Amino acid sequence: MLSSAIVLTLLLFLITTLIYLTLHVSSHLPPRRPRPIRRKRPIKPDGHILIVLGSGGHTAEMIILLGDNNGQLLRGFESRTWIISEGDAFSGQRALEVEKVLSTAHPNKTGSEDIITVPRARRIHQSLLTTPITSLKCLYTCLSLLHNNNKSGYPDILLTNGPGTGVIIVFALLILRVLGLGGVNTRIVYVESLARVRRVSFSGRLLMGVVDRFVVQWEGLEGEFLGPLVLDAAISGGGGCGGDGDGSVKGREGAVGSGRVRVEI
Amino acid sequence: MPSKAIFITVGATASFDALIQAVLQSTFLHTLARMGYSELFIQYGQGGKELFNRLLEEAQEHGPYGIAVEAFEFTQNMMQSMRVAKAERGREEGVVLCHAGTGSVLDAIRIGVPVIVVPNPTLLDNHQVEFAEVMADMGYVVHGHLNNLEQALQDSEALRKKNKEWPPVNSGIHRKAKGLEGVIDEEMGYLD
């Protein structure tokens, strides 16, 4: 008799805890999350945006989007934090190019930029056995850079388009939110890759339910359809980022190209 | 006579041996020569060197085609390298032939030359075919098939002609009033 009473109490306790946890976690996720605080657009930009650059196609798409119209989108932010993966010099270079366009188009540009490198969640061809370890290392770095090692504090906007690092940094932010450490006011914007025409990517499926905005570029995909943004930006010029027509880049290209052989056939 | 270049790229991430094979086949090289191409640039990617060199030797035996071939593994600045396909520096406008990765395709579109997009059939979760199809349907690129790149070359001439028409067919037709900037403004809570 007594034992069944204990079991019952424990069960009730467990259920209550579970309900509490579920409610607590879901209060930090859409649709229960509060809407952004409405305010007037400041005359001098004061926001902080964090941009995750993956590698290859993800970076290319992001740079085209952000470079569009001389970096119009980024001009609304006082500070920009760029996240790149270890060993990804390509993305670091592209971030610098966008910053250059920003300061050329706006010589009086104020604010700060910060490029932060995080360890890779998984290297190409890395064994699945060791992947959890490297992923945890990446997660730890993301947690600490969001919480402490970031001179501009928590970002107002976290923008990612689906590389692995983006998934991990979003989860890091969610963890910090649930633990009550911060990040409640950070709005997460996800832009699905232009390459995804009929199905959302794996990253997209992981993040769909937790981000504030889920933008897709093709009609018929689950999400908020805005048209092929990256394609439009590419056609309209993309702000000249990406190394097109830049003298210094040509110099580098020469160095790379010196190993080339020319053969007549 | 100005030279005319084809720029071929397999992309940075995955290898694409079938594309290297296809573009070094005698029929393709003959078609290139017939269509006035005198230069072929190819980025063969990581691990593609051995295959490329072997096939190049074979092609030399079957030649001559009157084509200068320049090959390299990878470059940090693909877009700059692609410019050989542009009508500048003593060249007439050529073509870019690439795998169906968005980075390569968008670079080629941005420099404004005709693009032939060839999906890599060996990739898992192959969304490249869908991407190539939709881009070709909208008239931005030619969807090339590995077994008939000669046809793709012909089609690229039609695309070139279409791109020269005025007003430009593809300029910002999708541009939505809101865009990504609108989404971000909303998330920032701006009232205007």
Short mmCIF file of all heavy atoms in Angstrom, two decimals, chain A residues 111-177:
data_model
loop_
_atom_site.label_atom_id
_atom_site.label_comp_id
_atom_site.label_asym_id
_atom_site.label_seq_id
_atom_site.Cartn_x
_atom_site.Cartn_y
_atom_site.Cartn_z
N GLY A 111 30.78 51.75 -36.38
CA GLY A 111 30.50 50.40 -35.93
C GLY A 111 31.70 49.51 -36.10
O GLY A 111 32.79 49.94 -36.47
N SER A 112 31.51 48.24 -35.80
CA SER A 112 32.64 47.35 -35.77
C SER A 112 32.31 46.05 -36.45
O SER A 112 31.16 45.67 -36.59
CB SER A 112 33.00 47.06 -34.32
OG SER A 112 31.91 46.40 -33.71
N GLU A 113 33.37 45.39 -36.90
CA GLU A 113 33.16 44.06 -37.43
C GLU A 113 34.12 43.12 -36.71
O GLU A 113 35.16 43.54 -36.24
CB GLU A 113 33.36 44.01 -38.94
CG GLU A 113 34.80 44.14 -39.39
CD GLU A 113 35.15 45.55 -39.83
OE1 GLU A 113 34.33 46.46 -39.66
OE2 GLU A 113 36.27 45.71 -40.33
N ASP A 114 33.71 41.88 -36.67
CA ASP A 114 34.46 40.91 -35.92
C ASP A 114 34.37 39.60 -36.69
O ASP A 114 33.28 39.20 -37.07
CB ASP A 114 33.78 40.77 -34.55
CG ASP A 114 34.74 40.30 -33.49
OD1 ASP A 114 35.91 40.07 -33.83
OD2 ASP A 114 34.31 40.14 -32.34
N ILE A 115 35.51 38.99 -36.97
CA ILE A 115 35.46 37.69 -37.65
C ILE A 115 35.94 36.64 -36.67
O ILE A 115 37.05 36.72 -36.17
CB ILE A 115 36.32 37.70 -38.93
CG1 ILE A 115 35.79 38.77 -39.89
CG2 ILE A 115 36.32 36.33 -39.59
CD1 ILE A 115 36.48 38.83 -41.23
N ILE A 116 35.07 35.69 -36.35
CA ILE A 116 35.41 34.69 -35.34
C ILE A 116 35.45 33.31 -35.99
O ILE A 116 34.57 32.93 -36.75
CB ILE A 116 34.35 34.70 -34.21
CG1 ILE A 116 34.34 36.08 -33.54
CG2 ILE A 116 34.66 33.61 -33.18
CD1 ILE A 116 33.33 36.21 -32.42
N THR A 117 36.51 32.58 -35.68
CA THR A 117 36.67 31.23 -36.24
C THR A 117 36.23 30.20 -35.20
O THR A 117 36.60 30.29 -34.03
CB THR A 117 38.14 30.99 -36.60
OG1 THR A 117 38.59 32.09 -37.40
CG2 THR A 117 38.31 29.71 -37.39
N VAL A 118 35.43 29.24 -35.64
CA VAL A 118 35.04 28.15 -34.74
C VAL A 118 35.53 26.82 -35.32
O VAL A 118 35.70 26.69 -36.52
CB VAL A 118 33.50 28.09 -34.54
CG1 VAL A 118 32.99 29.36 -33.92
CG2 VAL A 118 32.79 27.81 -35.85
N PRO A 119 35.78 25.84 -34.44
CA PRO A 119 36.22 24.53 -34.96
C PRO A 119 35.11 23.90 -35.81
O PRO A 119 33.94 24.16 -35.58
CB PRO A 119 36.45 23.70 -33.69
CG PRO A 119 36.26 24.60 -32.55
CD PRO A 119 35.61 25.84 -32.99
N ARG A 120 35.50 23.09 -36.75
CA ARG A 120 34.50 22.42 -37.59
C ARG A 120 33.73 21.37 -36.79
O ARG A 120 34.31 20.66 -35.99
CB ARG A 120 35.18 21.73 -38.77
CG ARG A 120 35.47 22.67 -39.88
CD ARG A 120 36.12 21.95 -41.05
NE ARG A 120 36.60 22.92 -42.01
CZ ARG A 120 35.83 23.49 -42.93
NH1 ARG A 120 34.57 23.15 -43.04
NH2 ARG A 120 36.32 24.38 -43.75
N ALA A 121 32.42 21.29 -37.05
CA ALA A 121 31.60 20.25 -36.42
C ALA A 121 32.02 18.89 -36.98
O ALA A 121 32.10 17.91 -36.26
CB ALA A 121 30.13 20.50 -36.69
N ARG A 122 32.26 18.87 -38.27
CA ARG A 122 32.72 17.63 -38.89
C ARG A 122 33.54 17.99 -40.12
O ARG A 122 33.06 18.74 -40.97
CB ARG A 122 31.51 16.77 -39.30
CG ARG A 122 31.91 15.50 -40.00
CD ARG A 122 30.73 14.53 -40.17
NE ARG A 122 31.19 13.31 -40.77
CZ ARG A 122 31.08 13.04 -42.08
NH1 ARG A 122 30.52 13.90 -42.89
NH2 ARG A 122 31.55 11.90 -42.57
N ARG A 123 34.75 17.48 -40.18
CA ARG A 123 35.56 17.70 -41.37
C ARG A 123 35.09 16.77 -42.46
O ARG A 123 34.48 15.74 -42.19
CB ARG A 123 37.04 17.44 -41.07
CG ARG A 123 37.71 18.53 -40.24
CD ARG A 123 39.17 18.23 -40.03
NE ARG A 123 39.37 17.00 -39.29
CZ ARG A 123 39.38 16.92 -37.96
NH1 ARG A 123 39.21 18.02 -37.24
NH2 ARG A 123 39.54 15.77 -37.35
N ILE A 124 35.37 17.15 -43.71
CA ILE A 124 35.01 16.28 -44.83
C ILE A 124 35.74 14.95 -44.65
O ILE A 124 36.92 14.93 -44.31
CB ILE A 124 35.38 16.93 -46.18
CG1 ILE A 124 34.73 18.30 -46.29
CG2 ILE A 124 34.96 16.06 -47.34
CD1 ILE A 124 35.26 19.16 -47.41
N HIS A 125 35.03 13.87 -44.86
CA HIS A 125 35.57 12.51 -44.74
C HIS A 125 35.89 12.09 -43.30
O HIS A 125 36.47 11.04 -43.09
CB HIS A 125 36.85 12.31 -45.58
CG HIS A 125 36.68 12.68 -47.02
ND1 HIS A 125 35.63 12.20 -47.77
CD2 HIS A 125 37.39 13.49 -47.84
CE1 HIS A 125 35.71 12.70 -48.99
NE2 HIS A 125 36.76 13.49 -49.05
N GLN A 126 35.52 12.91 -42.32
CA GLN A 126 35.80 12.50 -40.95
C GLN A 126 34.91 11.32 -40.56
O GLN A 126 33.75 11.24 -40.97
CB GLN A 126 35.54 13.68 -39.99
CG GLN A 126 35.92 13.37 -38.55
CD GLN A 126 35.51 14.50 -37.62
OE1 GLN A 126 35.48 15.66 -38.01
NE2 GLN A 126 35.20 14.16 -36.39
N SER A 127 35.46 10.42 -39.75
CA SER A 127 34.70 9.23 -39.36
C SER A 127 33.52 9.62 -38.49
O SER A 127 33.59 10.55 -37.69
CB SER A 127 35.62 8.27 -38.61
OG SER A 127 35.05 7.88 -37.39
N LEU A 128 32.42 8.89 -38.66
CA LEU A 128 31.21 9.21 -37.90
C LEU A 128 31.41 8.96 -36.41
O LEU A 128 30.71 9.49 -35.57
CB LEU A 128 30.03 8.35 -38.41
CG LEU A 128 29.41 8.84 -39.71
CD1 LEU A 128 28.36 7.85 -40.21
CD2 LEU A 128 28.77 10.22 -39.54
N LEU A 129 32.40 8.12 -36.10
CA LEU A 129 32.67 7.78 -34.70
C LEU A 129 33.18 8.98 -33.91
O LEU A 129 32.81 9.18 -32.76
CB LEU A 129 33.72 6.66 -34.67
CG LEU A 129 33.35 5.46 -33.80
CD1 LEU A 129 32.64 4.42 -34.65
CD2 LEU A 129 34.57 4.90 -33.14
N THR A 130 34.03 9.77 -34.55
CA THR A 130 34.62 10.90 -33.83
C THR A 130 33.81 12.17 -34.01
O THR A 130 34.09 13.17 -33.36
CB THR A 130 36.07 11.15 -34.32
OG1 THR A 130 36.04 11.30 -35.74
CG2 THR A 130 36.98 10.01 -33.94
N THR A 131 32.79 12.11 -34.88
CA THR A 131 32.01 13.32 -35.14
C THR A 131 31.36 13.92 -33.88
O THR A 131 31.39 15.13 -33.70
CB THR A 131 30.95 13.06 -36.23
OG1 THR A 131 31.63 12.65 -37.40
CG2 THR A 131 30.13 14.29 -36.54
N PRO A 132 30.77 13.08 -32.98
CA PRO A 132 30.18 13.69 -31.78
C PRO A 132 31.19 14.52 -30.98
O PRO A 132 30.83 15.57 -30.44
CB PRO A 132 29.73 12.47 -30.96
CG PRO A 132 29.54 11.40 -31.95
CD PRO A 132 30.54 11.65 -33.04
N ILE A 133 32.43 14.07 -30.93
CA ILE A 133 33.44 14.79 -30.15
C ILE A 133 33.72 16.16 -30.76
O ILE A 133 33.68 17.19 -30.09
CB ILE A 133 34.75 13.97 -30.07
CG1 ILE A 133 34.46 12.61 -29.42
CG2 ILE A 133 35.82 14.72 -29.29
CD1 ILE A 133 35.57 11.61 -29.57
N THR A 134 33.96 16.19 -32.08
CA THR A 134 34.25 17.47 -32.72
C THR A 134 33.02 18.38 -32.71
O THR A 134 33.15 19.59 -32.58
CB THR A 134 34.74 17.26 -34.17
OG1 THR A 134 33.90 16.31 -34.82
CG2 THR A 134 36.17 16.77 -34.20
N SER A 135 31.82 17.78 -32.82
CA SER A 135 30.60 18.58 -32.78
C SER A 135 30.46 19.25 -31.42
O SER A 135 30.07 20.42 -31.32
CB SER A 135 29.37 17.72 -33.05
OG SER A 135 29.42 17.22 -34.35
N LEU A 136 30.77 18.50 -30.35
CA LEU A 136 30.68 19.06 -29.00
C LEU A 136 31.68 20.20 -28.82
O LEU A 136 31.37 21.22 -28.21
CB LEU A 136 30.92 17.98 -27.95
CG LEU A 136 29.72 17.09 -27.63
CD1 LEU A 136 30.10 16.00 -26.64
CD2 LEU A 136 28.57 17.92 -27.06
N LYS A 137 32.85 20.01 -29.40
CA LYS A 137 33.88 21.05 -29.31
C LYS A 137 33.37 22.32 -30.00
O LYS A 137 33.51 23.43 -29.49
CB LYS A 137 35.16 20.56 -30.00
CG LYS A 137 36.43 20.97 -29.28
CD LYS A 137 37.65 20.38 -29.97
CE LYS A 137 38.57 21.47 -30.44
NZ LYS A 137 39.59 20.99 -31.39
N CYS A 138 32.75 22.12 -31.16
CA CYS A 138 32.20 23.25 -31.90
C CYS A 138 31.08 23.91 -31.10
O CYS A 138 31.02 25.14 -30.98
CB CYS A 138 31.70 22.77 -33.25
SG CYS A 138 30.91 24.04 -34.24
N LEU A 139 30.22 23.07 -30.51
CA LEU A 139 29.10 23.59 -29.72
C LEU A 139 29.61 24.42 -28.54
O LEU A 139 29.10 25.51 -28.26
CB LEU A 139 28.25 22.43 -29.20
CG LEU A 139 27.05 22.80 -28.32
CD1 LEU A 139 25.99 23.55 -29.12
CD2 LEU A 139 26.43 21.58 -27.67
N TYR A 140 30.64 23.90 -27.88
CA TYR A 140 31.20 24.61 -26.73
C TYR A 140 31.72 25.99 -27.14
O TYR A 140 31.45 27.00 -26.49
CB TYR A 140 32.33 23.78 -26.10
CG TYR A 140 33.00 24.51 -24.97
CD1 TYR A 140 32.37 24.61 -23.74
CD2 TYR A 140 34.22 25.14 -25.16
CE1 TYR A 140 32.97 25.32 -22.71
CE2 TYR A 140 34.82 25.85 -24.14
CZ TYR A 140 34.20 25.94 -22.91
OH TYR A 140 34.77 26.64 -21.89
N THR A 141 32.45 26.02 -28.28
CA THR A 141 32.97 27.31 -28.76
C THR A 141 31.83 28.27 -29.07
O THR A 141 31.90 29.46 -28.76
CB THR A 141 33.82 27.10 -30.03
OG1 THR A 141 34.68 26.01 -29.81
CG2 THR A 141 34.63 28.31 -30.37
N CYS A 142 30.75 27.73 -29.71
CA CYS A 142 29.62 28.57 -30.06
C CYS A 142 28.94 29.13 -28.81
O CYS A 142 28.58 30.31 -28.75
CB CYS A 142 28.60 27.80 -30.90
SG CYS A 142 29.22 27.41 -32.54
N LEU A 143 28.76 28.28 -27.80
CA LEU A 143 28.15 28.71 -26.54
C LEU A 143 28.96 29.85 -25.94
O LEU A 143 28.41 30.89 -25.55
CB LEU A 143 28.09 27.55 -25.54
CG LEU A 143 27.04 26.48 -25.78
CD1 LEU A 143 27.31 25.26 -24.91
CD2 LEU A 143 25.65 27.02 -25.49
N SER A 144 30.27 29.68 -25.90
CA SER A 144 31.07 30.68 -25.22
C SER A 144 31.19 31.95 -26.05
O SER A 144 31.25 33.04 -25.51
CB SER A 144 32.43 30.11 -24.82
OG SER A 144 33.27 30.07 -25.92
N LEU A 145 31.20 31.82 -27.37
CA LEU A 145 31.31 33.06 -28.15
C LEU A 145 30.02 33.86 -28.10
O LEU A 145 30.04 35.09 -28.11
CB LEU A 145 31.75 32.78 -29.59
CG LEU A 145 30.75 32.41 -30.68
CD1 LEU A 145 30.16 33.64 -31.33
CD2 LEU A 145 31.47 31.61 -31.74
N LEU A 146 28.89 33.16 -28.01
CA LEU A 146 27.62 33.88 -27.89
C LEU A 146 27.50 34.55 -26.53
O LEU A 146 27.02 35.67 -26.40
CB LEU A 146 26.44 32.91 -28.08
CG LEU A 146 26.11 32.49 -29.51
CD1 LEU A 146 25.11 31.33 -29.50
CD2 LEU A 146 25.54 33.66 -30.31
N HIS A 147 27.98 33.84 -25.51
CA HIS A 147 27.74 34.33 -24.15
C HIS A 147 28.82 35.28 -23.64
O HIS A 147 28.51 36.31 -23.04
CB HIS A 147 27.60 33.13 -23.20
CG HIS A 147 27.05 33.53 -21.87
ND1 HIS A 147 25.80 34.14 -21.74
CD2 HIS A 147 27.55 33.43 -20.62
CE1 HIS A 147 25.57 34.39 -20.47
NE2 HIS A 147 26.61 33.98 -19.77
N ASN A 148 30.08 34.95 -23.87
CA ASN A 148 31.14 35.78 -23.29
C ASN A 148 32.01 36.49 -24.31
O ASN A 148 32.15 37.69 -24.29
CB ASN A 148 32.12 34.94 -22.44
CG ASN A 148 31.41 33.91 -21.61
OD1 ASN A 148 30.45 34.25 -20.94
ND2 ASN A 148 31.87 32.68 -21.67
N ASN A 149 32.58 35.69 -25.20
CA ASN A 149 33.70 36.20 -26.00
C ASN A 149 33.24 36.97 -27.22
O ASN A 149 33.67 36.71 -28.32
CB ASN A 149 34.59 35.04 -26.45
CG ASN A 149 35.11 34.29 -25.27
OD1 ASN A 149 35.20 34.83 -24.18
ND2 ASN A 149 35.46 33.03 -25.49
N ASN A 150 32.36 37.89 -27.02
CA ASN A 150 31.82 38.59 -28.16
C ASN A 150 31.61 40.02 -27.70
O ASN A 150 30.74 40.30 -26.90
CB ASN A 150 30.50 37.92 -28.54
CG ASN A 150 29.89 38.54 -29.75
OD1 ASN A 150 30.32 39.58 -30.22
ND2 ASN A 150 28.88 37.89 -30.26
N LYS A 151 32.43 40.89 -28.26
CA LYS A 151 32.46 42.25 -27.71
C LYS A 151 31.13 42.99 -27.89
O LYS A 151 30.83 43.91 -27.15
CB LYS A 151 33.62 43.05 -28.30
CG LYS A 151 33.61 43.17 -29.80
CD LYS A 151 34.90 43.80 -30.30
CE LYS A 151 34.91 43.83 -31.82
NZ LYS A 151 36.24 43.97 -32.37
N SER A 152 30.33 42.57 -28.87
CA SER A 152 29.07 43.28 -29.10
C SER A 152 27.90 42.67 -28.35
O SER A 152 26.76 43.08 -28.54
CB SER A 152 28.77 43.32 -30.59
OG SER A 152 29.90 43.73 -31.31
N GLY A 153 28.13 41.66 -27.54
CA GLY A 153 27.04 41.03 -26.79
C GLY A 153 26.21 40.12 -27.68
O GLY A 153 26.61 39.79 -28.80
N TYR A 154 25.05 39.71 -27.18
CA TYR A 154 24.17 38.85 -27.98
C TYR A 154 23.72 39.60 -29.22
O TYR A 154 23.41 40.79 -29.14
CB TYR A 154 22.96 38.43 -27.15
CG TYR A 154 23.22 37.26 -26.25
CD1 TYR A 154 23.68 37.45 -24.96
CD2 TYR A 154 23.03 35.96 -26.71
CE1 TYR A 154 23.94 36.37 -24.12
CE2 TYR A 154 23.28 34.87 -25.89
CZ TYR A 154 23.74 35.08 -24.60
OH TYR A 154 23.99 34.01 -23.80
N PRO A 155 23.66 38.92 -30.36
CA PRO A 155 23.21 39.62 -31.56
C PRO A 155 21.69 39.87 -31.53
O PRO A 155 20.96 39.15 -30.86
CB PRO A 155 23.57 38.66 -32.69
CG PRO A 155 23.63 37.31 -32.06
CD PRO A 155 24.06 37.54 -30.63
N ASP A 156 21.26 40.90 -32.26
CA ASP A 156 19.82 41.10 -32.44
C ASP A 156 19.30 40.13 -33.49
O ASP A 156 18.18 39.65 -33.39
CB ASP A 156 19.55 42.54 -32.90
CG ASP A 156 20.00 43.55 -31.87
OD1 ASP A 156 19.43 43.53 -30.78
OD2 ASP A 156 20.94 44.32 -32.16
N ILE A 157 20.13 39.89 -34.51
CA ILE A 157 19.74 38.97 -35.59
C ILE A 157 20.84 37.93 -35.76
O ILE A 157 22.02 38.25 -35.80
CB ILE A 157 19.60 39.73 -36.94
CG1 ILE A 157 18.55 40.85 -36.86
CG2 ILE A 157 19.29 38.75 -38.07
CD1 ILE A 157 17.10 40.40 -36.89
N LEU A 158 20.43 36.67 -35.85
CA LEU A 158 21.35 35.59 -36.21
C LEU A 158 20.90 35.12 -37.59
O LEU A 158 19.78 34.66 -37.76
CB LEU A 158 21.27 34.47 -35.19
CG LEU A 158 22.32 33.34 -35.23
CD1 LEU A 158 22.32 32.59 -33.91
CD2 LEU A 158 22.12 32.37 -36.38
N LEU A 159 21.78 35.28 -38.58
CA LEU A 159 21.42 34.96 -39.96
C LEU A 159 22.25 33.78 -40.45
O LEU A 159 23.47 33.81 -40.41
CB LEU A 159 21.67 36.19 -40.84
CG LEU A 159 21.40 36.07 -42.34
CD1 LEU A 159 19.92 35.80 -42.61
CD2 LEU A 159 21.84 37.33 -43.08
N THR A 160 21.57 32.74 -40.90
CA THR A 160 22.30 31.58 -41.43
C THR A 160 21.53 30.99 -42.61
O THR A 160 20.33 31.17 -42.73
CB THR A 160 22.54 30.50 -40.35
OG1 THR A 160 23.29 29.42 -40.93
CG2 THR A 160 21.24 29.94 -39.80
N ASN A 161 22.27 30.28 -43.47
CA ASN A 161 21.60 29.65 -44.60
C ASN A 161 21.88 28.15 -44.67
O ASN A 161 21.80 27.56 -45.72
CB ASN A 161 21.96 30.35 -45.91
CG ASN A 161 23.44 30.32 -46.22
OD1 ASN A 161 24.24 29.83 -45.41
ND2 ASN A 161 23.81 30.80 -47.38
N GLY A 162 22.22 27.57 -43.54
CA GLY A 162 22.16 26.12 -43.50
C GLY A 162 23.43 25.29 -43.48
O GLY A 162 23.35 24.07 -43.59
N PRO A 163 24.61 25.88 -43.30
CA PRO A 163 25.77 25.00 -43.12
C PRO A 163 25.72 24.36 -41.73
O PRO A 163 24.99 24.84 -40.86
CB PRO A 163 26.96 25.96 -43.22
CG PRO A 163 26.43 27.27 -42.79
CD PRO A 163 24.99 27.31 -43.23
N GLY A 164 26.49 23.31 -41.52
CA GLY A 164 26.50 22.60 -40.23
C GLY A 164 26.78 23.53 -39.06
O GLY A 164 26.13 23.45 -38.02
N THR A 165 27.73 24.43 -39.25
CA THR A 165 28.06 25.37 -38.17
C THR A 165 26.85 26.21 -37.79
O THR A 165 26.64 26.52 -36.61
CB THR A 165 29.19 26.33 -38.65
OG1 THR A 165 30.18 25.56 -39.30
CG2 THR A 165 29.79 27.07 -37.49
N GLY A 166 26.03 26.55 -38.79
CA GLY A 166 24.83 27.35 -38.52
C GLY A 166 23.87 26.61 -37.62
O GLY A 166 23.29 27.18 -36.70
N VAL A 167 23.71 25.30 -37.87
CA VAL A 167 22.81 24.49 -37.05
C VAL A 167 23.30 24.49 -35.61
O VAL A 167 22.54 24.68 -34.66
CB VAL A 167 22.75 23.04 -37.60
CG1 VAL A 167 21.90 22.17 -36.69
CG2 VAL A 167 22.20 23.03 -39.02
N ILE A 168 24.61 24.31 -35.45
CA ILE A 168 25.16 24.22 -34.10
C ILE A 168 25.04 25.54 -33.36
O ILE A 168 24.67 25.58 -32.19
CB ILE A 168 26.62 23.71 -34.17
CG1 ILE A 168 26.55 22.27 -34.65
CG2 ILE A 168 27.31 23.83 -32.81
CD1 ILE A 168 27.76 21.46 -34.47
N ILE A 169 25.27 26.63 -34.05
CA ILE A 169 25.19 27.92 -33.35
C ILE A 169 23.73 28.24 -32.97
O ILE A 169 23.47 28.82 -31.92
CB ILE A 169 25.86 29.05 -34.16
CG1 ILE A 169 26.29 30.16 -33.20
CG2 ILE A 169 25.01 29.61 -35.24
CD1 ILE A 169 27.42 30.99 -33.70
N VAL A 170 22.78 27.82 -33.80
CA VAL A 170 21.37 28.02 -33.45
C VAL A 170 21.04 27.20 -32.20
O VAL A 170 20.41 27.70 -31.26
CB VAL A 170 20.44 27.63 -34.62
CG1 VAL A 170 18.99 27.53 -34.16
CG2 VAL A 170 20.54 28.65 -35.75
N PHE A 171 21.50 25.95 -32.16
CA PHE A 171 21.22 25.12 -30.98
C PHE A 171 21.92 25.70 -29.74
O PHE A 171 21.35 25.67 -28.65
CB PHE A 171 21.61 23.67 -31.23
CG PHE A 171 20.55 22.93 -32.01
CD1 PHE A 171 20.87 22.23 -33.17
CD2 PHE A 171 19.22 22.96 -31.61
CE1 PHE A 171 19.88 21.58 -33.91
CE2 PHE A 171 18.23 22.33 -32.33
CZ PHE A 171 18.56 21.63 -33.49
N ALA A 172 23.10 26.25 -29.93
CA ALA A 172 23.81 26.87 -28.81
C ALA A 172 22.97 28.02 -28.25
O ALA A 172 22.80 28.15 -27.03
CB ALA A 172 25.17 27.38 -29.26
N LEU A 173 22.40 28.80 -29.14
CA LEU A 173 21.58 29.93 -28.70
C LEU A 173 20.35 29.44 -27.94
O LEU A 173 19.97 29.99 -26.91
CB LEU A 173 21.16 30.77 -29.91
CG LEU A 173 20.43 32.06 -29.55
CD1 LEU A 173 21.41 33.10 -29.03
CD2 LEU A 173 19.66 32.62 -30.73
N LEU A 174 19.74 28.36 -28.46
CA LEU A 174 18.55 27.81 -27.80
C LEU A 174 18.90 27.31 -26.39
O LEU A 174 18.14 27.51 -25.45
CB LEU A 174 17.93 26.69 -28.63
CG LEU A 174 17.38 27.09 -29.99
CD1 LEU A 174 16.85 25.87 -30.73
CD2 LEU A 174 16.28 28.13 -29.86
N ILE A 175 20.03 26.66 -26.27
CA ILE A 175 20.46 26.15 -24.96
C ILE A 175 20.61 27.31 -23.99
O ILE A 175 20.12 27.28 -22.86
CB ILE A 175 21.79 25.37 -25.10
CG1 ILE A 175 21.54 24.06 -25.86
CG2 ILE A 175 22.41 25.09 -23.73
CD1 ILE A 175 22.81 23.31 -26.24
N LEU A 176 21.26 28.38 -24.44
CA LEU A 176 21.47 29.54 -23.58
C LEU A 176 20.13 30.16 -23.16
O LEU A 176 19.94 30.56 -22.01
CB LEU A 176 22.34 30.58 -24.29
CG LEU A 176 23.79 30.14 -24.50
CD1 LEU A 176 24.50 31.02 -25.52
CD2 LEU A 176 24.55 30.17 -23.17
N ARG A 177 19.19 30.18 -24.09
CA ARG A 177 17.86 30.71 -23.80
C ARG A 177 17.16 29.89 -22.72
O ARG A 177 16.65 30.42 -21.74
CB ARG A 177 17.00 30.63 -25.06
CG ARG A 177 16.84 31.93 -25.78
CD ARG A 177 15.78 31.71 -26.84
NE ARG A 177 16.10 32.47 -28.03
CZ ARG A 177 15.57 32.21 -29.23
NH1 ARG A 177 14.74 31.21 -29.38
NH2 ARG A 177 15.87 32.96 -30.24
#
